[in-house]
Amino acid sequence: MFVSDELDISSKSGRRGFVEFVARVSFCDIYYLGYDPTIRYNPKIGKWQIDVFSNDKTEPKTLILESVLHNATRTTGRHTRCFVGLDEESKEQLLVKDAWAEQTRRPEFIEANSDYSAVEVPMAFERDEIKLLEKVDEKLGKDNTFERRYPVIKYGGVVRQNLANNLRGAMETTYTALLNIGPVVQSDEVPYRIHKRMAVTPIAESLRNLRSMDEYIVVMAEAMLTLCYIEKECGILHRDISSNNIMFTRDEDGTVRGFLNDFDCAIEVTAERKPRTNMTGTLPFMSICNLESKNVDQTILDDIESCIYHMCWFGVEGVCSLHEDYPTDNDMAHLGRWRIGTVKQIAKTKRNNMHTDDIFRAEVTSCFIGAAQCEDHGDEHGNCLYKNLGYDRLASLVCQLRKALFENDKLSRKCWGAMDPNSLSAQPSTRVAPMHVDDEFGDIFDESSDVSSSSKPTDTPNVESGAAADKGYEDPSCGPDPFANRALGDCKEIIVGEIMEIMLNERNIALENIEKQTQHKK
């Protein structure tokens, strides 16, 4: 936000400045007052319309706006909005996503020209959701296995506006939007963002609309399978697993499908790997390496780790709206620390929580719905009222997944654990310093650098069969850091293979349960 100098209306110059301000506002183009001409009300049909552009510069596709699915909750950041749009020609409903994606500044082009050509120079978008989704559909679109499991682009591109200064049909960026302000927009304090809009199909549903634990397990298994295939076949990492980015679709016969949403933070995996220079993701679900911007290759294991956190979070919060009112242990006392504190504190808490099976069960799965309430909530026969909800199954599942990732018996002990080998003897503080996180877990305002922990980790993970573990596979490049060792090629493939075997087995069991329940209702 840009603010002028104070106007002292008691002075002659102040009054003149105020009158000039009112005059400029009166004659200003509505675009510079915050209106978006590409979203407008059409009085002839009595409906709102929205233009969706294509990068090939063809005429935009105009859709009828039927409803708002998501409105931006703040004026900063990506300002993502989602609508339901109707294509009048095909009569198909589409999800319209409108967002300002941050990109690398290209000042050499901006400073060289001040006319239309300046914004038409091709830019190498390092994160181009539209391009990546088109690549995914090109690779997986013919495989029925992945039908309705990811967004398929119908229309999409950079929003174009007819602006002042002869910028007709210019790509809308923070540069073109603030052009009249002058040199201030060249400041590094102004993020360089590009306004993009796309229309996709299908329109997925929130997990809150699921009907049972079995459906949730099916959705998570299929979303994780899609994650792994997209990384393997398309060379794309998602990097933003969250409660909003795993959704589901439901077929006409009632069958649910896991749906992987929002590729805004996705990147292509290249042979030339670069250190993590910034964090990407949503705090409670971010992997430990992402939270620490750790100098370890970013791989599919980061997304898998995020999926485990996703299941833990929903195990406490409830997998669907029907379970939200059930009591949990200490009101998410432990998992709440995955979003409270500094980034360093959150990473430290997760390291401690995930390091051993005993700690994980004591501090994470013990908080799941029904885990601590069975003694106080039984029927006349002493049967737990929460057991049939399936959270005991979910707790068992996440324990298996944690073990496969952090204590895999097929790998050497050098790949085990979640603690930094250089800090195992450190005694962490138990004080949690405050950190404010917005509703979307986005902005972080660090008020302390103290490290928090709800327990003291053991020096090494629990080993039930040490001899067997010592004979596990060890990559010749293995060093002291278990995170770096797990990211190595063969180690990573072993972990991914075992985790997907676990998830697909649980998916098959869940599908059988759903079928039995369906037959029982008939």
Side-chain angles (χ1 to χ4, degrees), residues 192-354:
Y192 186 66
R193 294 184 179 273
I194 298 178
H195 191 187
K196 296 183 180 181
R197 188 176 294 157
M198 62 182 186
V200 303
T201 184
I203 301 176
E205 297 183 57
S206 165
L207 296 182
R208 294 303 175 201
N209 294 332
L210 290 171
R211 299 168 184 170
S212 67
M213 177 64 71
D214 287 308
E215 288 193 342
Y216 176 72
I217 291 175
V218 170
V219 166
M220 288 304 300
E222 294 186 352
M224 292 173 71
L225 178 66
T226 304
L227 269 177
C228 292
Y229 264 81
I230 287 177
E231 188 270 344
K232 183 177 181 180
E233 300 298 328
C234 309
I236 294 172
L237 287 175
H238 187 278
R239 303 200 309 163
D240 190 16
I241 300 301
S242 71
S243 56
N244 294 324
N245 291 345
I246 292 182
M247 306 178 76
F248 78 96
T249 59
R250 191 180 295 277
D251 296 343
E252 291 183 1
D253 62 0
T255 302
V256 294
R257 297 173 182 259
F259 185 86
L260 192 59
N261 193 37
D262 194 354
F263 283 70
D264 202 35
C265 292
I267 58 169
E268 291 191 80
V269 181
T270 60
E272 181 183 355
R273 306 308 296 269
K274 299 179 181 179
R276 307 173 199 232
T277 56
N278 63 326
M279 296 185 301
T280 53
T282 307
L283 285 178
F285 313 103
M286 286 173 64
S287 70
I288 293 169
C289 289
N290 279 345
L291 284 166
E292 297 179 340
S293 297
K294 195 173 178 65
N295 189 18
V296 172
D297 281 353
Q298 193 165 13
T299 69
I300 189 63
L301 296 185
D302 289 284
D303 284 347
I304 288 176
E305 185 181 337
S306 294
C307 287
I308 296 176
Y309 297 142
H310 187 287
M311 286 182 269
C312 292
W313 192 268
F314 275 69
V316 175
E317 194 175 67
V319 302
C320 61
S321 59
L322 298 175
H323 300 171
E324 289 179 343
D325 295 331
Y326 283 92
T328 57
D329 183 35
N330 297 326
D331 193 23
M332 294 185 71
H334 298 299
L335 268 64
R337 294 175 186 156
W338 291 2
R339 61 170 295 190
I340 298 174
T342 66
V343 173
K344 183 178 180 181
Q345 290 170 337
I346 295 172
K348 187 68 175 180
T349 298
K350 285 187 174 181
R351 280 183 178 272
N352 293 341
N353 291 160
M354 306 302 289

Side-chain angles (χ1 to χ4, degrees), residues 122-141:
M123 297 183 181
F125 303 148
E126 67 270 39
R127 296 209 309 257
D128 191 338
E129 183 177 18
I130 296 172
K131 176 184 175 182
L132 294 181
L133 284 174
E134 289 175 341
K135 181 178 181 180
V136 169
D137 195 50
E138 180 183 347
K139 295 284 187 179
L140 304 183

Side-chain angles (χ1 to χ4, degrees), residues 36-42 45 47-53 59-68 70 81-88 94-99 155 157 159-161 195-200:
D36 186 348
T38 64
I39 303 177
R40 59 197 173 276
Y41 182 75
N42 187 336
I45 61 175
K47 296 179 180 179
W48 285 85
Q49 295 177 317
I50 185 169
D51 293 333
V52 183
F53 298 78
E59 288 296 313
K61 182 69 177 179
T62 299
L63 304 177
I64 301 296
L65 278 180
E66 294 197 326
S67 62
V68 178
H70 174 76
R81 298 175 294 171
C82 295
F83 312 92
V84 175
L86 176 66
D87 186 338
E88 288 191 295
L94 302 173
L95 172 72
V96 181
K97 178 180 177 181
D98 181 275
Y155 314 99
V159 174
R160 296 177 178 272
Q161 301 281 7
H195 191 187
K196 296 183 180 181
R197 188 176 294 157
M198 62 182 186
V200 303

Side-chain angles (χ1 to χ4, degrees), residues 398-446:
V398 294
C399 285
Q400 293 180 66
L401 296 175
R402 190 214 67 85
K403 181 173 176 57
L405 179 58
F406 291 99
E407 294 181 78
N408 197 304
D409 288 333
K410 297 177 182 178
L411 300 178
S412 162
R413 280 199 195 181
K414 289 185 179 180
C415 298
W416 285 31
M419 296 304 297
D420 184 342
N422 298 320
S423 63
L424 281 172
S425 59
Q427 299 298 318
S429 167
T430 58
R431 186 174 74 84
V432 179
M435 180 186 73
H436 305 300
V437 184
D438 69 7
D439 291 339
E440 296 180 348
F441 311 119
D443 290 335
I444 305 169
F445 301 92
D446 192 348

Side-chain angles (χ1 to χ4, degrees), residues 214 506-518:
D214 287 308
E506 290 295 326
R507 172 184 176 271
N508 292 337
I509 294 173
L511 287 173
E512 290 177 4
N513 291 339
I514 293 172
E515 179 63 25
K516 290 178 182 178
Q517 293 165 9
T518 303

